Amino acid sequence: MSTVSLTINGLEVTVPKGTKLLDAALGAGFFIPTLCHDENSPNYGGCRICVVEVKGARALVASCCAEAANGMVVETESPAVVEARKTILELMLANHPADCLTCDKAGNCRLQDYAFRYDVKQPNFGGERKDHEFDDSNPYINRDMNKCILCARCVRTCKAVTDRAVIDLAYRGFKTKVATALDAKLAESLCVSCGRCVSVCPVGALTYRSFSGKARMWEVEKEQVTCTWCDAGCQFD
Ligand code: FES
């Protein structure tokens, strides 16, 4: 197998050719935050929270999409990287409900984790905010598109993993949202409530109704279950 050697945070690392910078860094024991990346779905490169600094590159590089190359010198937490991540988080939080105290996802939310890690408290950005209707039409899944960060993990999972494509990114610009066909409520769509979209949502946009308001994340134990809806035997938390 052909390999490439690079330096990550001063450490010499050798990985198989074609390895993404993210995997090379994680494999070497370094932390890189991710929001849109999902190892079971096609690469997306949408959130940019995983950016790293590559010596000689003109801009920060999305590590989930860039391949490791021979001789690369990579910094995963340089001042420029940290500054970029803080700005990305501030932009997301500027248009996100500040209800972490009562959100069902509190304690298991990547946005919350990263805001804590990078000390992002008050967003420096103002402006228009999303105002989507809360969708509790489905007996198993709650959808709060005001909490959606448009990472599209649910879209790619529904499309690539379950082969359904019940949801997709719709509209444009500020109005972009994850929607069903004709923007119908989930109960009126072709959704079969498999819950795969909920299991990959990194924030509180998609949550299980059975859990809603009954406990806090750190009070429950997660279990791997096997879906019996079809013969595929899909497993998820
Ligand atoms: Fe790499 Fe989102 S995790 S761009």
Side-chain angles (χ1 to χ4, degrees):
M1 183 203 315
S2 76
T3 57
V4 294
S5 293
L6 65 161
T7 305
I8 304 178
N9 297 342
L11 184 75
E12 179 95 10
V13 174
T14 300
V15 292
K17 199 167 188 291
T19 301
K20 296 287 187 278
L21 284 178
L22 174 68
D23 296 320
L26 296 180
F30 298 111
F31 168 82
I32 294 182
T34 59
L35 286 168
C36 71
H37 176 69
D38 178 4
E39 53 276 11
N40 297 314
S41 297
N43 272 343
Y44 187 60
C47 75
R48 317 309 278 186
I49 197 79
C50 69
V51 287
V52 295
E53 193 163 352
V54 177
K55 196 171 176 193
R58 275 186 280 172
L60 297 177
V61 170
S63 63
C64 67
C65 295
E67 281 185 13
N70 262 327
M72 259 185 178
V73 178
V74 180
E75 290 284 335
T76 63
E77 289 272 342
S78 68
V81 166
V82 171
E83 195 55 38
R85 287 181 190 156
K86 276 174 173 268
T87 304
I88 290 165
L89 290 168
E90 282 184 16
L91 284 165
M92 286 179 177
L93 290 168
N95 192 7
H96 191 90
D99 66 346
C100 294
L101 291 177
T102 52
C103 179
D104 281 339
K105 206 64 187 282
N108 188 28
C109 171
R110 289 200 195 181
L111 192 55
Q112 190 185 44
D113 284 351
Y114 298 158
F116 180 79
R117 182 181 182 105
Y118 292 104
D119 197 28
V120 175
K121 294 191 175 87
Q122 295 293 332
N124 287 320
F125 303 100
E128 198 178 343
R129 295 176 75 91
K130 290 178 282 197
D131 187 19
H132 300 300
E133 196 182 336
F134 186 79
D135 182 1
D136 60 356
S137 62
N138 182 291
Y140 309 104
I141 299 168
N142 277 340
R143 282 172 85 224
D144 186 349
M145 287 299 99
N146 295 318
K147 292 182 180 172
C148 176
I149 57 169
L150 298 175
C151 70
R153 289 179 71 164
C154 55
V155 170
R156 284 172 288 143
T157 297
C158 193
K159 203 173 281 180
V161 181
T162 71
D163 198 21
R164 295 199 169 275
V166 171
I167 47 176
D168 207 338
L169 290 166
Y171 305 101
R172 287 170 184 248
F174 183 78
K175 292 192 184 327
T176 304
K177 67 183 263 198
V178 174
T180 61
L182 302 178
D183 207 356
K185 287 184 180 285
L186 209 52
E188 294 151 15
S189 74
L190 295 175
C191 172
V192 295
S193 311
C194 74
R196 291 299 296 260
C197 57
V198 181
S199 68
V200 297
C201 180
V203 294
L206 295 167
T207 50
Y208 296 110
R209 285 194 69 168
S210 56
F211 181 78
S212 184
K214 296 199 177 74
R216 290 168 294 178
M217 273 294 175
W218 54 91
E219 295 172 331
V220 298
E221 264 178 42
K222 274 191 165 188
E223 242 180 65
Q224 275 258 310
V225 293
T226 306
C227 175
T228 54
W229 189 81
C230 68
D231 294 334
C234 298
Q235 294 211 325
F236 51 95
D237 298 324

